[in-house]
Amino acid sequence: MHLLQPQPEVTTSSLVSTHSTDLPRLIPDQVQRSSWQKLTTEVEHVDWLILHFNHWFSHHNVTLVKGDFEPEYFPATDQLPARIQFAHGFFNSALHEISHWTISGEQRRKLPDLGYWYAPDGRTAEQQALFEQVEIKPQAIEWLFATAFGRKFRVSLDNLTGEGGDGALFKDNVFNQVKRFFSGESKLPRDAAHFIYYICLCTRNGRALQLDEFKRESLD
């Protein structure tokens, strides 16, 4: 299959150009509470992520929490903030759930699981095609998050016992979506842009993501 290649006019594009015009809430000196560079284990990375996400987005009355089972989103109540629960304490699961949260608007954040209807593993070909269509943008954003952290990203078709779908086409679509974020054709959600900005301050000395850091072949 033909591999999608970055267009010459945008190969050096920075993700800064796709940020919302809304300024991040925190100034650089307020962003980092502990050093990312000193961490070595998955547990340390997860704890750092929870600490900093909850600091960065406290104004949204939301917390990131480890879950023992499947990921789930719980809207805020009168007694508790909203909870983004990720699976089994896995760092990549946390990034995936955060990506879905950043895409959702104010009304969907009031709904259990952000209003998603989820067909379990074992989906038909038709159900799988619908699943993949919904997952393109969240997984593209997750790839941005992972790259900002210097971590490997892998797409997920998440249908081990059903119809697998067209994995190559899905990867093409995710890569295409990343390119649209850089070109400005598609705008990053405000909270996703702020999350990336904060991550880059902590992990890359503020250096913005560049399109040439994303290669279609890295998804294979």
Side-chain angles (χ1 to χ4, degrees), residues 8-58:
E9 67 271 22
V10 294
T11 52
T12 60
S13 291
S14 164
L15 208 61
V16 169
S17 63
T18 68
H19 282 178
S20 166
T21 54
D22 294 332
L23 294 175
R25 176 173 168 269
L26 301 175
I27 63 174
D29 288 347
Q30 297 174 326
V31 170
Q32 185 161 253
R33 293 200 159 182
S34 63
S35 174
W36 169 264
Q37 285 76 10
K38 295 179 180 179
L39 308 180
T40 58
T41 69
E42 180 82 355
V43 171
E44 289 175 334
H45 288 159
V46 167
D47 288 344
W48 188 99
L49 177 60
I50 291 172
L51 172 68
H52 285 80
F53 178 90
N54 292 344
H55 170 51
W56 297 339
F57 294 103
S58 61

Side-chain angles (χ1 to χ4, degrees), residues 92 153 172:
N92 289 348
F153 168 75
D172 287 346

Side-chain angles (χ1 to χ4, degrees), residues 33-210:
R33 293 200 159 182
S34 63
S35 174
W36 169 264
Q37 285 76 10
K38 295 179 180 179
L39 308 180
T40 58
T41 69
E42 180 82 355
V43 171
E44 289 175 334
H45 288 159
V46 167
D47 288 344
W48 188 99
L49 177 60
I50 291 172
L51 172 68
H52 285 80
F53 178 90
N54 292 344
H55 170 51
W56 297 339
F57 294 103
S58 61
H59 59 293
H60 280 314
N61 193 32
V62 63
T63 58
L64 181 68
V65 298
K66 296 178 186 177
D68 293 328
F69 303 104
E70 293 305 307
E72 191 169 357
Y73 173 81
F74 302 90
T77 67
D78 292 339
Q79 293 78 33
L80 295 171
R83 287 175 291 149
I84 303 169
Q85 178 179 289
F86 60 99
H88 310 293
F90 294 150
F91 192 95
N92 289 348
S93 174
L95 296 187
H96 185 76
E97 298 311 311
I98 292 170
S99 73
H100 275 287
W101 176 80
T102 65
I103 289 172
S104 64
E106 181 180 352
Q107 294 306 311
R108 280 179 51 196
R109 291 180 182 182
K110 296 177 181 178
L111 302 175
D113 259 351
L114 300 171
Y116 281 107
W117 171 81
Y118 182 74
D121 192 16
R123 291 183 288 273
T124 65
E126 292 77 14
Q127 289 173 326
Q128 183 64 17
L130 180 59
F131 169 85
E132 291 176 16
Q133 187 62 37
V134 171
E135 280 288 317
I136 292 169
K137 187 172 287 187
Q139 293 202 30
I141 291 175
E142 181 188 348
W143 192 4
L144 298 174
F145 294 167
T147 302
F149 275 114
R151 294 177 66 98
K152 172 71 175 176
F153 168 75
R154 293 179 176 84
V155 300
S156 174
L157 297 178
D158 195 28
N159 198 29
L160 299 178
T161 63
E163 297 290 338
D166 188 339
L169 177 60
F170 182 66
K171 292 171 184 177
D172 287 346
N173 288 335
V174 170
F175 179 58
N176 247 346
Q177 180 62 54
V178 167
K179 291 202 300 180
R180 285 194 289 271
F181 284 137
F182 278 95
S183 71
E185 181 183 347
S186 182
K187 196 171 185 67
L188 271 175
R190 178 190 59 194
D191 289 324
H194 290 178
F195 189 49
I196 293 167
Y197 171 75
Y198 293 145
I199 296 168
C200 289
L201 281 178
C202 296
T203 66
R204 299 159 56 99
N205 294 316
R207 181 169 56 90
L209 294 175
Q210 305 291 327

